[in-house]
C-alpha cells in the first residue's frame, strides 16, 4: 500500500513499483490506509481482496497521520509482522523515534531513490522483481 496525501509522490512510487512488476493499492491518508488494511485478504480471507505485503507510509497527512495509522494497524495481531516503512520529508530524530515506537519497521526520508525502493522491496518481499507474478503492496 502506498500511503501519501501528495498525488505526485504516489505517482512517482507507482511508476517505480510498476517497473519492479509490483501491483499496488493507494491511499491518500491514514484512515484510507486503515480501511484498506481491514478489507485486505490478510484480514478478511476474501480472495478477491488485495493481499497485504508491504506498506509505504507517509507520516504527515490530513485526516489521520501515518503515526496514528501505523498504531491502529498494529493493534491487529494479523499485521504484527507486516513491514511498514515510513517515508517522510522530516529528518527530525524525535519523529523517527516516535515512528519506531508506534510500530514502523523502518524509517526513510524522501525523496526515495529508485535503488533504495528496490532494495526495500527485495528485503521485505519474496522475489520482488522476478517477473514470475505480480504482488500487491498494501
Amino acid at each position: 500500500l502506498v500511503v501519501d496525501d501528495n498525488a505526485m509522490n504516489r505517482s512517482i512510487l507507482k511508476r517505480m513499483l510498476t517497473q519492479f512488476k509490483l501491483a499496488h493499492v493507494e491511499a491518500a491518508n491514514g484512515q484510507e490506509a486503515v480501511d484498506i488494511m481491514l478489507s485486505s485478504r490478510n484480514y478478511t480471507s476474501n480472495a478477491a481482496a488485495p493481499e497485504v505485503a508491504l506498506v509505504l507510509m507517509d507520516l504527515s497527512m490530513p485526516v489521520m497521520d501515518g503515526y496514528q495509522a501505523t498504531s491502529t494497524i498494529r493493534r491487529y495481531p494479523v499485521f504484527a509482522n507486516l513491514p511498514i516503512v515510513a517515508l517522510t520529508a522530516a529528518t527530525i530524530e524525535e519523529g523517527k523515534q516516535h515512528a519506531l515506537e508506534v510500530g514502523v519497521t523502518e524509517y526513510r526520508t524522501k525523496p526515495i531513490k529508485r535503488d533504495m525502493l528496490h532494495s526495500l522491496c527485495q528485503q521485505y518481499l519474496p522475489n520482488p522483481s522476478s517477473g514470475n507474478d505480480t504482488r500487491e503492496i498494501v
Side-chain angles (χ1 to χ4, degrees), residues 1 3 33-34 36-38 40 42-43 51-57 69-70 72-74 76-86 102-106 124-125 136-138:
L1 170 58
V3 189
V34 170
I36 289 169
M37 297 296 288
L38 295 179
S40 71
N42 302 58
Y43 189 73
E51 182 177 353
V52 176
L54 174 64
V55 178
L56 302 174
M57 178 81 73
T70 299
T72 301
I73 291 165
R74 291 293 190 217
Y76 297 87
V78 69
F79 301 128
N81 296 316
L82 175 71
I84 300 177
V85 178
V102 299
V104 300
T105 310
E106 202 165 322
Y124 294 115
L125 299 172
E136 280 139 4
I137 296 178
V138 178

Side-chain angles (χ1 to χ4, degrees), residues 19-67:
Q19 291 172 352
F20 305 154
K21 296 183 176 13
L22 294 170
H24 70 284
V25 179
E26 297 178 26
N29 61 62
Q31 184 60 60
E32 287 181 14
V34 170
D35 293 345
I36 289 169
M37 297 296 288
L38 295 179
S39 64
S40 71
R41 187 177 326 157
N42 302 58
Y43 189 73
T44 66
S45 299
N46 176 354
E51 182 177 353
V52 176
L54 174 64
V55 178
L56 302 174
M57 178 81 73
D58 183 24
L59 295 177
S60 180
M61 297 176 287
V63 183
M64 179 187 283
D65 65 26
Y67 300 102

